[in-house]
Amino acid sequence: MDKTVASAAEAVADVTSGSSIAVGGFGLCGNPMILIQALLEKGSDDLSIVSNNCGVDDWGLGVLLAHRRIRKMTSSYVGENKEFERQFLSGELEVELTPQGTLAEKLRAGGAGIAAFFTQTGVGTQVAEGGLPRRYDGSGGVAIASPPKDVRNFSVRGNEKAFVLEEAIATDFALVHAKRGDRHGNLVFDKSARNFSPLAAMAGRVCIAQVEELVEPGEIDPDAVHLPGVFVHRVLLVGPDIEKRIERRTVRTTEGA
């Protein structure tokens, strides 16, 4: 039951080229940076990554992108990374844009063993009708476009409404960052760093968590556990002093200044 590992290199040792990985974080909040750096050093490439976004040019998943390690990104927001834009428009990167709430539910469903679900989000748009560019050909044309999805009508509260079928996401691995964890893999996330992290963790066949604080089993109140250890397979202690960056620093102007 002791799921701790001694090093980041050991934690990602079996993440091979071509793997699919769900990664927690929102912007630069909750990024499992130590594990990302270890994966970069390992040299695995041709990766298919599922995450809300791809970090920035020199931090988060952006470091893997800059070294051409990512083949495909499935994300809901990609607006803070210029290299991401360049690779996508030049045909070097495949991108599957997904509405944010839909992405969250696709990850949760994958972890819960649900194959697919119907949602109203995207009905009447290219999300449902298909045709969204996934990969460009480098000359301005579309090499790969999203396919149309199944749309069905259901009666909800007496009203007939259209819903689009979305398939769940299940990946080979998941990488997440947590504030606290025990040796059994029970995790507690810190405030907004909770975001996509439990959902990404659930979606991975093998979940690897880096934690700032490692405690013994029983020291976390069961009611305080955000993610049960059944979903976590490896725990790496990284300590509280790891570097954490702010994506966009906004400060208030002092009155009268």
Side-chain angles (χ1 to χ4, degrees):
M1 289 293 290
D2 189 344
K3 300 176 181 179
T4 57
V5 292
S7 68
E10 179 184 347
V12 302
D14 56 347
V15 183
T16 58
S17 295
S19 295
S20 59
I21 311 173
V23 182
F26 187 94
L28 298 187
C29 181
N31 283 200
M33 199 62 211
I34 302 301
L35 295 174
I36 291 172
Q37 289 173 329
L39 191 56
L40 175 67
E41 293 170 5
K42 185 179 186 301
S44 300
D45 59 8
D46 196 36
L47 300 173
S48 178
I49 306 289
V50 182
S51 188
N52 179 67
N53 61 289
C54 197
V56 294
D57 289 310
D58 61 347
W59 201 249
L61 288 168
V63 301
L64 292 176
L65 186 74
H67 287 81
R68 308 292 196 279
R69 303 296 174 77
I70 302 176
R71 175 187 62 81
K72 178 183 178 181
M73 277 296 308
T74 301
S75 301
S76 63
Y77 177 71
V78 295
E80 300 294 334
N81 193 315
K82 292 181 180 179
E83 177 61 15
F84 187 104
E85 177 185 19
R86 190 200 65 76
Q87 288 192 26
F88 181 41
L89 294 179
S90 67
E92 300 172 33
L93 177 68
E94 183 177 344
V95 178
E96 184 173 349
L97 288 173
T98 305
Q100 194 166 84
T102 301
L103 179 61
E105 181 62 12
K106 284 163 76 78
L107 289 165
R108 191 203 67 82
I114 298 170
F117 57 91
F118 281 95
T119 176
Q120 286 184 275
T121 304
V123 171
T125 74
Q126 284 184 299
V127 170
E129 297 167 0
L132 279 174
R134 286 191 177 176
R135 183 187 288 275
Y136 286 98
D137 60 10
S139 301
V142 176
I144 301 175
S146 65
K149 298 176 180 178
D150 185 19
V151 176
R152 290 177 57 186
N153 287 346
F154 293 89
S155 179
V156 179
R157 300 186 184 93
N159 296 316
E160 193 85 359
K161 297 181 179 180
F163 289 76
V164 59
L165 181 69
E166 292 283 359
E167 296 185 7
I169 293 175
T171 59
D172 300 322
F173 296 92
L175 306 179
V176 297
H177 172 93
K179 178 71 173 179
R180 184 178 298 108
D182 65 23
R183 296 181 183 276
H184 289 177
N186 298 301
L187 301 181
V188 177
F189 301 96
D190 188 25
K191 302 180 181 66
S192 60
R194 189 172 175 180
N195 50 62
F196 274 83
S197 296
L199 309 173
M202 291 173 64
R205 179 177 52 82
V206 175
C207 173
I208 308 166
Q210 63 172 59
V211 300
E212 296 183 37
E213 179 186 357
L214 180 65
V215 300
E216 295 302 318
E219 290 188 45
I220 301 176
D221 185 331
D223 284 339
V225 172
H226 294 153
L227 182 73
V230 67
F231 291 108
V232 181
H233 303 83
R234 297 169 200 161
V235 177
L236 172 70
L237 176 63
V238 297
D241 298 324
I242 57 173
E243 183 179 1
K244 298 177 183 179
R245 296 190 186 182
I246 297 174
E247 188 169 359
R248 286 195 178 190
R249 185 182 297 274
T250 303
V251 296
R252 184 178 64 183
T253 302
T254 303
E255 289 186 19

